[in-house]
């Protein structure tokens, strides 16, 4: 029940527990969070997505876990590992890292912190040979995070998801091999340049 899967400096990744679904919908089923995920979802779509999340945990022992901030126990979103379940791709069944965070928590490095913990689990406990991440061209923050984690762009693996609108196609693919994680991890831990950024 809500047991901790991983702990980082500021965050806990834990299993889903009773009441999480309602809180998640309240704080994350918003136009900005869902901008590149097909927009705000109706109740039955949300339930189906949560059921899939439970199913990954049941079937594989990992899923998109709840991310909680240690300082105030706020639920920030989810991050973790599922398996590719999109149609029309050769990637089906591969380890996939993913994330979704509340808008008021963006830009503070939380997703990077949780994703590093997730990739540690992928290559450690779950012995993944490689991990993919899927997004769309327009989702700049998610793409940036993939790059920040040392994931390589794999245009050869991109695919069209017939369930999605034109704006959300193609699905673009990033991939990280287990052998590259130690070096990528060290680079990902480096804090972004805190110096002046205004070059105007
Ligand atoms: C993607 C998401 C999880 C990033 O969360 P976050 O906590 O803001 O990410 P971080 O603060 O760890 O930042 C990660 C990197 O992305 C960069 N970044 C964040 N927002 C960005 C934006 N709008 N444009 C470009 N880069 C951005 C950060 O600068 C950082 O790179 P840096 O370390 O080199 O500076 C968050 O924006 C989100 O939940 N989006 C909506 C849901 C979603 O689209 N999920 C992904 C589906 S594929």
């Amino acid at each position: 029940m809500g047991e901790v899967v991983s702990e980082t400096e500021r965050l806990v990744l834990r299993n889903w527990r009773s009441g999480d679904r309602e809180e998640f919908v309240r704080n994350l089923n918003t136009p900005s969070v869902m901008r590149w995920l097909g927009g705000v979802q109706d109740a039955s779509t949300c339930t189906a997505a949560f059921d899939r999340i439970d199913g990954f945990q049941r079937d594989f022992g990992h899923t998109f876990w709840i991310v909680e901030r240690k300082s105030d126990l706020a639920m920030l979103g989810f991050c973790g590992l599922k398996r590719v379940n999109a149609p029309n791709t050769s990637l089906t069944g591969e380890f996939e890292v993913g994330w979704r965070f509340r808008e008021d928590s963006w830009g503070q490095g939380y997703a990077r912190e949780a994703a590093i913990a997730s990739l540690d689990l992928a290559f450690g406990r779950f012995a993944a040979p490689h991990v993919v991440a899927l997004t769309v061209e327009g989702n700049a923050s998610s793409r940036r995070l993939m790059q920040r984690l040392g994931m390589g762009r794999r245009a050869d693996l991109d695919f069209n998801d017939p369930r999605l609108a034109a704006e959300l196609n193609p699905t673009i693919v990033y991939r990280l091999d287990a052998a590259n994680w130690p070096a990528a991890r060290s680079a990902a831990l480096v804090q972004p340049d805190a110096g002046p950024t205004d070059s105007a």
Side-chain angles (χ1 to χ4, degrees), residues 117-145:
S118 299
L119 289 169
D120 281 342
L121 288 164
F123 296 122
R125 187 190 306 176
F126 297 106
H130 54 257
V131 175
V132 298
L134 310 179
T135 190
V136 291
E137 199 66 44
N139 196 341
S141 50
S142 202
R143 280 196 293 117
R144 177 70 197 136
L145 180 54

Side-chain angles (χ1 to χ4, degrees), residues 6 18 23 57 70 85 119 141 144 150 155 158 165 169 181 193:
S6 183
S18 160
E23 186 173 349
Q57 183 66 41
K70 290 202 278 194
N85 60 331
L119 289 169
S141 50
R144 177 70 197 136
D158 291 357
N169 269 307
W181 180 229
D193 181 10

Side-chain angles (χ1 to χ4, degrees), residues 42-197:
D42 62 24
S44 66
T45 307
C46 289
T47 300
F50 292 136
D51 288 348
R52 281 195 299 278
I53 284 174
D54 286 350
F56 288 116
Q57 183 66 41
R58 183 189 62 234
D59 296 341
F60 299 105
H62 58 75
T63 193
F64 287 166
W65 296 292
I66 290 291
V67 178
E68 212 167 69
R69 185 163 52 202
K70 290 202 278 194
S71 62
D72 58 0
L73 302 184
M75 177 204 283
L76 301 187
F78 68 47
C79 185
L81 307 166
K82 67 186 219 14
R83 299 297 179 108
V84 176
N85 60 331
N88 204 31
T89 167
S90 61
L91 300 174
T92 303
E94 296 197 359
F95 283 87
E96 176 187 344
V97 65
W99 36 72
R100 195 181 303 177
F101 281 73
R102 270 165 49 170
E103 187 179 1
D104 63 5
S105 77
W106 291 355
Q108 300 172 62
Y110 288 130
R112 178 170 53 114
E113 193 168 319
I116 290 172
S118 299
L119 289 169
D120 281 342
L121 288 164
F123 296 122
R125 187 190 306 176
F126 297 106
H130 54 257
V131 175
V132 298
L134 310 179
T135 190
V136 291
E137 199 66 44
N139 196 341
S141 50
S142 202
R143 280 196 293 117
R144 177 70 197 136
L145 180 54
M146 291 167 194
Q147 291 160 3
R148 194 70 164 81
L149 294 165
M151 306 191 82
R153 179 78 176 90
R154 288 292 301 269
D156 56 312
L157 299 174
D158 291 357
F159 62 95
N160 272 292
D161 187 334
R163 303 168 301 177
L164 304 178
E167 173 191 64
L168 300 180
N169 269 307
T171 294
I172 68 169
V173 180
Y174 286 72
R175 189 177 120 151
L176 179 64
D177 292 337
N180 295 333
W181 180 229
R185 187 184 196 282
S186 300
L189 283 171
V190 175
Q191 295 299 326
D193 181 10
T197 53

